[in-house]
Amino acid sequence: MADQSTYSNTTDILETRIKELVRDIKSVEIDRDRVKDYICLLVNPDDLLRVMETIANWDEIPMNYLRCITGIDQLTHLEVVYIFASIPGPGGLAVVARCPRKDGVLPSVYGIWETADFQERETYEFFGVKFDGHPDLRRLLTHEEMRGFPLLKDYPKGGDPDDLKAMDAFLPEGWLEQMQIEKERLQNWLQDEIAKRTET
Amino acid sequence: MGLIEKELPPGVLTTTIDTVINYSKKYSIWPMTFGIACCAIEMILATSPRFDLARFGAEVFRATPRQADLMIIAGTVNHKMAQNVRLLYDQMPEHKKVIAMGSCAISGGPYAGTYNVVQGVDLIIPVDVYVPGCPPRPEALLEGFIKLQELIAQESMAKV
């Protein structure tokens, strides 16, 4: 079993540090009810970099491990969530930054945690948030020719037709139509065959 | 056959060129070393001593498309991968064959109707044999191989 006393002690330190942070930067709000066992800090995008630099350099429990960056589409605005852990101390800290749904810009935290490189690229390609100061903001997992941001809730189900057309541009002219006809022919053949075999 | 063979010395058989060529073709299928997702694990297992793909003459997995006759699409093909699959297919010499292994390669499978997965690899390249399953057992892949051999046996040089 883990050393219970050390854990509760570092949790106390975390509470103290958060109190200091809220005292220094007035715009930070604390939300404890959003996720169980997590303390969420709602941060104004203008103060984001200041908050990040502060928590990365906290005494005793520096948040030196950026676990994950992801986004949430709240329909009225986007939320970019940074989840942290501290190697010597406890985890359970999340920073939430709000930005507009279209053409949102946030400062990049690549200068503080280098692991943000791929995670910011991923958040960019799925939600369209631009990270100002990122060294190489390209799409990471999806096709280079894609223009839409697929994890936004208004992205068409089954893919944007324009995106699909751009991604299939490597195929020869008329190939897809031909293959679709061939596929239908196969399916008809299969149905006939099933009907024939069930009769006998 | 009977009439001619009576004229020939014992031990000499007559056959057609198609039969001989198809016989050698179907027992020397060289697949490409090419696994995309979890179905590749079953494909690898099919070559292991327990299932032994070598019984059907297909144990030589080639590391280059230029030496391979068979491409096994073992896994989910997404749009970023599709152009590479097509490129590899175009590099293979004739006479090339394709097996679509598993639901993802056949129709998108669990990812049907999503934005990033090709809805069946037969939209990108022509497929000869479909092996359904999620993932198919190695025995199912072997069955697919035997079907492919049957297909090859029906081919004729005159038609191609």
Side-chain angles (χ1 to χ4, degrees):
Chain A
M1 196 171 153
D3 192 353
Q4 198 69 44
S5 61
T6 323
Y7 183 75
S8 59
N9 188 20
T10 46
T11 314
D12 290 345
I13 297 173
L14 181 67
E15 294 287 346
T16 324
R17 294 283 178 273
I18 287 172
K19 257 179 218 156
E20 286 168 11
L21 181 79
V22 174
R23 199 188 56 213
D24 290 347
I25 303 167
K26 292 280 186 291
S27 65
V28 177
E29 293 170 39
I30 303 171
D31 187 352
R32 289 167 197 273
D33 305 328
R34 181 182 285 234
V35 189
K36 193 170 171 258
D37 296 336
Y38 268 86
I39 302 171
C40 295
L41 302 177
L42 306 183
V43 178
N44 195 342
D46 300 333
D47 294 329
L48 183 68
L49 218 50
R50 234 178 107 205
V51 172
M52 292 305 194
E53 269 161 10
T54 314
I55 66 174
N57 297 312
W58 269 344
D59 283 344
E60 291 177 65
I61 48 157
M63 290 293 156
N64 45 12
Y65 178 31
L66 175 59
R67 272 187 178 161
C68 147
I69 301 178
T70 186
I72 304 169
D73 185 5
Q74 300 282 24
L75 294 176
T76 52
H77 61 278
L78 272 180
E79 283 178 350
V80 177
V81 185
Y82 303 76
I83 297 172
F84 294 99
S86 173
I87 299 296
L93 181 73
V95 173
V96 180
R98 292 185 176 182
C99 69
R101 277 184 93 240
K102 285 249 160 70
D103 306 318
V105 181
L106 285 178
S108 172
V109 295
Y110 177 78
I112 305 168
W113 299 276
E114 273 191 25
T115 182
D117 183 3
F118 276 11
Q119 304 192 10
E120 284 181 349
R121 277 174 71 181
E122 198 186 333
T123 312
Y124 161 67
E125 76 179 336
F126 285 136
F127 296 95
V129 183
K130 286 225 164 61
F131 288 92
D132 195 17
H134 190 283
D136 179 25
L137 198 63
R138 284 179 296 134
R139 285 174 180 268
L140 176 66
L141 299 169
T142 51
H143 199 286
E144 296 89 350
E145 297 298 324
M146 217 164 161
R147 288 289 166 267
F149 301 110
L151 290 196
L152 293 180
K153 296 218 191 269
D154 54 2
Y155 191 78
K157 196 176 165 238
D160 193 338
D162 291 344
D163 279 349
L164 290 175
K165 207 176 158 196
M167 291 190 289
D168 292 334
F170 67 94
L171 290 172
E173 192 78 22
W175 177 275
L176 269 181
E177 290 78 12
Q178 203 185 324
M179 284 293 138
Q180 205 71 50
I181 293 165
E182 178 72 6
K183 207 167 180 174
E184 274 163 29
R185 193 187 64 77
L186 262 180
Q187 276 167 358
N188 291 338
W189 173 83
L190 194 65
Q191 274 169 8
D192 291 351
E193 198 72 6
I194 290 167
K196 241 186 261 171
R197 288 190 194 182
T198 42
E199 271 170 30
T200 52
Chain B
M1 263 169 92
L3 276 176
I4 306 170
E5 271 175 4
K6 272 175 195 163
E7 306 293 322
L8 290 169
V12 178
L13 298 172
T14 57
T15 181
T16 58
I17 287 186
D18 275 345
T19 316
V20 175
I21 290 181
N22 286 345
Y23 192 83
S24 40
K25 262 205 270 184
K26 77 183 203 185
Y27 288 112
S28 62
I29 301 172
W30 287 3
M32 196 158 71
T33 315
F34 178 60
I36 302 177
C38 34
C39 280
I41 304 293
E42 304 292 316
M43 183 180 78
I44 294 158
L45 200 59
T47 63
S48 70
R50 183 161 177 173
F51 300 99
D52 206 7
L53 201 57
R55 288 179 291 164
F56 307 99
E59 81 277 24
V60 200
F61 273 77
R62 306 310 295 187
T64 161
R66 297 183 199 283
Q67 296 173 355
D69 332 282
L70 170 67
M71 187 186 229
I72 304 172
I73 308 289
T76 320
V77 183
N78 57 34
H79 279 110
K80 202 171 179 179
M81 193 68 198
Q83 53 189 354
N84 298 327
V85 170
R86 177 77 199 190
L87 185 67
L88 289 171
Y89 178 78
D90 287 342
Q91 285 178 339
M92 282 163 67
E94 295 287 347
H95 214 84
K96 48 197 172 189
K97 298 282 176 201
V98 177
I99 290 181
M101 182 183 180
S103 343
C104 300
I106 292 171
S107 67
Y111 309 105
T114 54
Y115 60 91
N116 201 30
V117 174
V118 176
Q119 304 297 302
V121 78
D122 46 5
L123 295 175
I124 307 293
I125 53 177
V127 174
D128 295 282
V129 176
Y130 297 84
V131 181
C134 189
R137 295 262 314 157
E139 291 96 323
L141 184 61
L142 294 186
E143 175 77 19
F145 256 95
I146 295 164
K147 288 277 179 237
L148 189 70
Q149 288 179 334
E150 284 170 13
L151 273 182
I152 292 171
Q154 289 166 12
E155 283 171 2
S156 170
M157 286 178 74
K159 281 184 208 159
V160 178

